[in-house]
Amino acid sequence: MRSDNVKEGMQQAPHRSLFNALGFTQEEMKKPMIGIVSSYNEIVPGHMNLDKIVNAVKLGVAEAGGVPVVFPAIAVCDGIAMGHVGMKYSLVTRDLIADSTECMAMAHQFDALVMVPNCDKNVPGLLMAAARLNLPTVFVSGGPMLAGRIKGQKKSLSAMFEAVGAYSAGNMTEEEVCEYEAKVCPTCGSCSGMYTANSMNCLTEALGMGLPGNGTIPAVYSERIKLAKHAGMKVMEMLEKNIRARDIITKEAIMNALTVDMALGCSTNSMLHLPAIAHEIGWDFDIAYANEISEKTPNMCHLAPAGPTYMEDLNEAGGVYAVMNQLMEAGLLNTDCMTVTGKTVGENVKNCKNLDETVIRPLSNPYSTTGGLAVLKGNLAPDGSVVKRSAVVPEMMVHTGPARVFDCEEDAIAAIKGGKIVAGDVVVIRYEGPKGGPGMREMLNPTSAIAGMGLGASVALITDGRFSGASRGASIGHVSPEAAVGGPIALVEEGDTITVDIPGYAITLHVSDEELAKRKANWTPREPKVTTGYLSRYEKLVTSGNRGAVLQVPGKEEK
């Protein structure tokens, strides 16, 4: 056992004295020591129930003959952090989570790990740590919240943000907004649409690192407690069979996850997190793989904000495995990939049928024959940009309009809510990328304001920042290279014509190469917005959005 490094032999007598201080019995000292990474806190609604999940995992580990030991991981609520300086501190926690988990696992020599995450950057951060550490590891999330209900209709957090935009446009009263405020988030859990948290928890299943139901069983269901107990038992089985994280997280598994992403219509943030996870196994993931996969993968789900269904509905329809079963039938999955069940993907999903074709469309009747995400390239984004095309209305699939240029999110929101943005415009928000932000803020407020103002079918938004999974419309993010490093988005001027062509995977700034070269010669880098603390260190190390905003070793050039 790896934990023998801190438990066995005369040299470890001082270590054993400290385990004695922890209350370890002699019997426990002879058993595998299983680290349980608890992301419980009292500020994130998706994490307030994780204490109960952790306790269930502990029971499962102990039942199967291990010694469970809990240690913490941080998590930020993106909804609470949205629209102010706090959002600069969301994406950056992904690396803190991975690094701190690595530190704890290596310092204390755990034999295996159970990760208990739930919300946005917490899940990919722990997946990165799992790949890095390469121990037997199982994931069990806290689960999604139930959808809210207003006047008989299901609603979620994205409707709340859009209600604020509708109020600004005079289309909702204060009383109506207050009703939304009271009802859209009715339980604990990750927000109920296919936003980033639920996207990543579903993709954890697709990767093979979570048990069936990990992404979809609602937080308030007792089935979630059973799942956690089974996760604790399963990690002991993985330890016995020596099935490690990198036996599961392979190139083929990541491509499976990307395929499931396309079918589900996941958050654009998955195109930051899948490359970062791939980076941990030594693979340089090209975001353009998304287009290759998209061309042959039908979009079968329109979960909120793309449509009227929610995570609880996907769960009742058969969950992620039901989607994967259909993809397998179409020959779109690598069925030989190993999973935490100890079985292959093919063995796991072969009998998982679609129980509701209004939630999971059949292959014969998909929402579209292409997947939920697209990567657009062109002279405005030479290294790529990302759009959730499953949440774009048909009339905005191809759009040409004048650029309305803003150097920060706040200025753009003021213009949108002030009625200065009109149908046909292309809103450009720059200097919000990984370095420019720093921290690559989510842009849910401006996208929600555009939708709430009734402009979702006539205005495009382009940024080197990123979007919430709750965003919808022609919202193109992750523009790379970003403005802070002199990317073409820094050279756009008010009134320039821009074309977004989603079916053609293109984004074009209609300015000549000669004129762009002249503008580039006159461009000067901006002083960093933050010069102290963690964000300053992050800004110096972070790469561009097309590389997953991973951190690079100082002195090494970005590829």
Side-chain angles (χ1 to χ4, degrees), residues 15 52 69 86 141 211 234 236 245-246 254 299 384 402 478 499 506:
H15 305 69
K52 295 174 179 58
V69 181
S141 77
L211 295 173
K234 189 60 65 174
M236 296 301 297
R246 285 205 293 270
I254 292 171
N299 177 226
H478 310 191
T499 294

Side-chain angles (χ1 to χ4, degrees), residues 183-195:
K183 295 180 178 179
V184 297
C185 296
T187 75
C188 65
S190 51
C191 296
S192 56
M194 187 54 81
Y195 310 143

Side-chain angles (χ1 to χ4, degrees), residues 514-533:
E514 293 76 16
E515 174 61 21
L516 286 176
K518 187 184 301 182
R519 293 180 187 180
K520 182 63 181 286
N522 293 325
W523 178 82
T524 55
R526 302 202 171 187
E527 291 296 320
K529 295 177 184 176
V530 180
T531 58
T532 60

Side-chain angles (χ1 to χ4, degrees), residues 43-46 76-83 87 119-120 145-150 153-165 172 177 179-187 189-198 303-307 309-312 442 444-445 447-449 451-452 468-472:
I43 189 62
V44 184
V76 163
C77 176
D78 277 22
I80 294 174
M82 193 72 64
M87 183 43 70
C119 288
D120 293 13
M145 69 171 66
L146 297 177
R149 283 173 170 76
I150 298 175
Q153 292 187 327
K154 290 183 179 181
K155 298 289 181 182
S156 63
L157 183 65
S158 56
M160 183 72 254
F161 279 89
E162 290 177 15
V164 175
M172 285 186 76
V177 174
E179 182 181 11
Y180 272 63
E181 184 181 330
K183 295 180 178 179
V184 297
C185 296
T187 75
S190 51
C191 296
S192 56
M194 187 54 81
Y195 310 143
T196 305
N198 293 327
L303 294 139
T309 53
Y310 295 81
M311 295 307 296
E312 62 204 65
E442 284 187 347
L444 180 55
N445 277 341
T447 57
S448 298
S468 165
S471 295
R472 60 188 176 100

Side-chain angles (χ1 to χ4, degrees), residues 213-401:
N214 178 70
T216 59
I217 298 171
V220 294
Y221 283 15
S222 297
E223 194 67 26
R224 176 66 55 180
I225 301 297
K226 296 179 186 177
L227 184 74
K229 290 177 182 175
H230 284 134
M233 297 174 191
K234 189 60 65 174
V235 80
M236 296 301 297
E237 182 181 317
M238 291 178 68
L239 179 62
E240 182 180 352
K241 294 179 178 179
N242 195 31
I243 299 173
R244 297 170 179 266
R246 285 205 293 270
D247 297 325
I248 296 171
I249 304 175
T250 61
K251 292 181 182 180
E252 293 77 14
I254 292 171
M255 293 304 277
N256 275 351
L258 183 57
T259 301
V260 174
D261 186 320
M262 294 296 171
L264 287 173
C266 291
S267 164
T268 52
N269 282 308
S270 64
M271 295 307 293
L272 285 173
H273 303 322
L274 289 178
I277 295 162
H279 179 74
E280 295 294 343
I281 65 167
W283 181 30
D284 190 10
F285 180 100
D286 185 344
I287 61 170
Y289 294 148
N291 293 344
E292 175 188 333
I293 295 295
S294 177
E295 283 296 328
K296 59 185 179 182
T297 306
N299 177 226
M300 297 187 292
C301 299
H302 264 193
L303 294 139
T309 53
Y310 295 81
M311 295 307 296
E312 62 204 65
D313 303 314
L314 179 59
N315 188 64
E316 294 302 317
V320 175
Y321 274 21
V323 174
M324 293 178 72
N325 177 273
Q326 294 192 175
L327 293 171
M328 180 178 71
E329 289 178 357
L332 295 173
L333 291 181
N334 185 315
T335 57
D336 295 328
C337 292
M338 179 52 62
T339 73
V340 294
T341 67
K343 299 178 181 178
T344 65
V345 166
E347 291 172 319
N348 283 343
V349 308
K350 64 181 179 180
N351 295 317
C352 299
K353 301 302 181 183
N354 181 0
L355 305 178
D356 189 344
E357 293 188 352
T358 66
V359 178
I360 305 171
R361 290 259 185 112
L363 289 169
S364 59
N365 182 35
Y367 283 100
S368 67
T369 56
T370 52
L373 297 179
V375 172
L376 313 183
K377 290 189 176 184
N379 67 340
L380 184 54
D383 293 336
S385 60
V386 183
V387 63
K388 186 175 182 177
R389 68 170 159 193
S390 60
V392 179
V393 294
E395 54 266 41
M396 288 299 291
M397 285 292 180
V398 178
H399 177 78
T400 298

